[in-house]
Amino acid sequence: MRYSKAKLHSARRRREYERKNIHRQHPSAVLRYTTKNFWMLLIPALRALITYSFDLGAWVKGMYLDIIVIVLMFGQAWLHWYLTVYELKESSLIYHSGFITRMTSEIPYRSISAVTSEKHIWQQPFRCAYTLIDTDSQSVEFSRKDPDLKLIMRDSDISLLFSHLESADCGKSTYHAEISKGSLIAFSLLFSSALSGVAIIATLMINAGNIVGDTLEQQFFTAVNTAAETVNDTINKQRFLIQNIPVATIALAIILCLGWIVSFTRNLLRHMNFRFSKQGGTIKISDGAFTQRKYCINSQHINCADLRQNLLMKLFRVMSVNVSCAGYGKAKNEIPVFIPISSKKRVHGIMRRIMPDIEWNEDVIHISYRYVFRYLGIPIFLLALTIFGAGAAIIIFPEWYDVIFFTMIMLLIPVIWLLIVKAAAFVSSGISYSGGILCVKYCAFYGFHTLLVPESRIAKLEVSRNIFQQFNGSCDMIIYTNAEYIRSHRIRGLRYKDACELLDEYRHRIPAHDLP
């Protein structure tokens, strides 16, 4: 009898322990599982309730079909929330979901590459946050760019998950660093894009238009058109060199300026209070003003480091550092910034402390002067095309001289800047391979990249030659890096002989790789 009672007590304690380990998402996750149609029905229903002066009887009679659909949608979302549970065990996270088909997934902590905690301003009073959990494998349930798991977790559960990820590094040395506000402002100035800002404005207007109609869109374009006419009148009164600029051109310029301001503000708020620390193999990063983000990155899952510069940053010897790691900087319009912006000397120091296995060396293979046209050919062609095209247009349409001349000036500015950038890229590009690290310096569009890839993270090296390169002895080398999805990096105008020697050296080291 005593034995059977002891077994019952033991089974009860085991069930209570298992129940304590089972967690559900924060109740606000119910709203996440509702569809867009739910909100499209809910808003008219609330409007009708106000119209009926909160007379519930009349409201139900007039909107009973909509109310039934809303209740069914909300019930489906609540059921999805209730049946989605997770367990935070000592060595792994177990995730259960589904009703008709029950799915259970187990993710060992050592396989997690990055965990992102994203707390929006409305979530702060409720003490919860979006939690994105990612591994090196592609997401099966969602699209390629989505994380493996996306949950709305309580702050206590997030702290418990982070503590499990950091438990293996307890007692190891810790390194802390912060980025100054001046550096963050400089980073936002240099990496803000007018087009991305315009995309944000357009998305906001489209989503708001679905709710309030076209009023917001009409007011926005009316305000822009009024400002454009005012600027045009000012230009004509001041008798500037270029007069009679079309109002549409000025309106487009105003929209682009607004887009750049939006992008700058977004980047500044996005990376405000940026700080990071490393303890053992775990790297923690936090940033954000209104939306607070925290990252926990496993340094063993970092595929490569990308030191980025534009022409001005290169002249002043400053750079930012991005890393390729599944789950970090994966969201749309998000940059995987590791160090926002700092001097080259400080970046060297931080990289030695945080990623001691990755060091960059002086270039061994440089670009030969015989292949200068590989870099300057396209900018020179665009420059000639712009000038001769504008000249031909002026001859054919002399009455449009002001418009054509203004357009030519606007087109020449980015083309001349591209020519200067490509000239600098021709001088600074190169590649080296020593100590198990491949260092590639190349230029893509207007940006300079210094790519640092451990040999264990190189998926493929490829030498490419077009028909012209076969005659002048040059080639392009393409580096494919291991990641959640393979990325490529191209360096142009290498000597074919040097590229083959580097390829042979890499091939001889392949048996020594500890491939992931």
Side-chain angles (χ1 to χ4, degrees), residues 294-463:
K294 294 181 180 179
Y295 304 91
C296 188
I297 301 172
N298 188 339
S299 60
Q300 295 180 353
H301 289 262
I302 294 178
N303 304 305
C304 61
D306 185 5
L307 285 62
R308 297 190 176 186
Q309 297 173 296
N310 58 28
L311 187 59
L312 292 177
M313 293 172 69
K314 199 170 187 66
L315 292 175
F316 290 101
R317 298 178 65 81
V318 295
M319 60 180 60
S320 70
V321 181
N322 294 5
V323 293
S324 170
C325 179
Y328 182 56
K330 191 175 181 178
K332 187 178 180 181
N333 295 325
E334 188 176 355
I335 305 173
V337 179
F338 201 64
I339 304 173
I341 194 169
S342 191
S343 65
K344 185 176 180 179
K345 183 178 179 181
R346 187 160 186 248
V347 167
H348 269 278
I350 295 175
M351 292 287 288
R352 287 193 190 99
R353 288 176 175 267
I354 294 185
M355 303 173 69
D357 297 334
I358 296 181
E359 286 282 348
W360 66 88
N361 305 286
E362 294 298 326
D363 299 333
V364 175
I365 303 177
H366 296 279
I367 308 300
S368 173
Y369 287 99
R370 292 187 300 168
Y371 314 135
V372 63
F373 193 75
R374 186 73 172 141
Y375 284 79
L376 303 184
I378 293 178
I380 291 174
F381 172 76
L382 293 176
L383 186 65
L385 181 64
T386 303
I387 295 174
F388 288 111
I394 290 173
I395 293 173
I396 299 173
F397 306 104
E399 65 276 8
W400 291 86
Y401 173 82
D402 293 329
V403 176
I404 296 171
F405 187 68
F406 175 77
T407 304
M408 183 190 71
I409 298 266
M410 292 296 100
L411 291 176
L412 282 178
I413 292 173
V415 171
I416 293 174
W417 189 259
L418 180 64
L419 179 63
I420 298 172
V421 167
K422 293 303 181 182
F426 170 71
V427 175
S428 61
S429 296
I431 186 170
S432 67
Y433 181 51
S434 63
I437 302 296
L438 183 68
C439 175
V440 184
K441 294 184 179 181
Y442 69 100
C443 176
F445 295 103
Y446 292 91
F448 297 89
H449 300 260
T450 300
L451 187 72
L452 307 172
V453 191
E455 58 187 5
S456 60
R457 290 293 177 175
I458 299 173
K460 182 173 66 171
L461 291 178
E462 181 179 298
V463 175

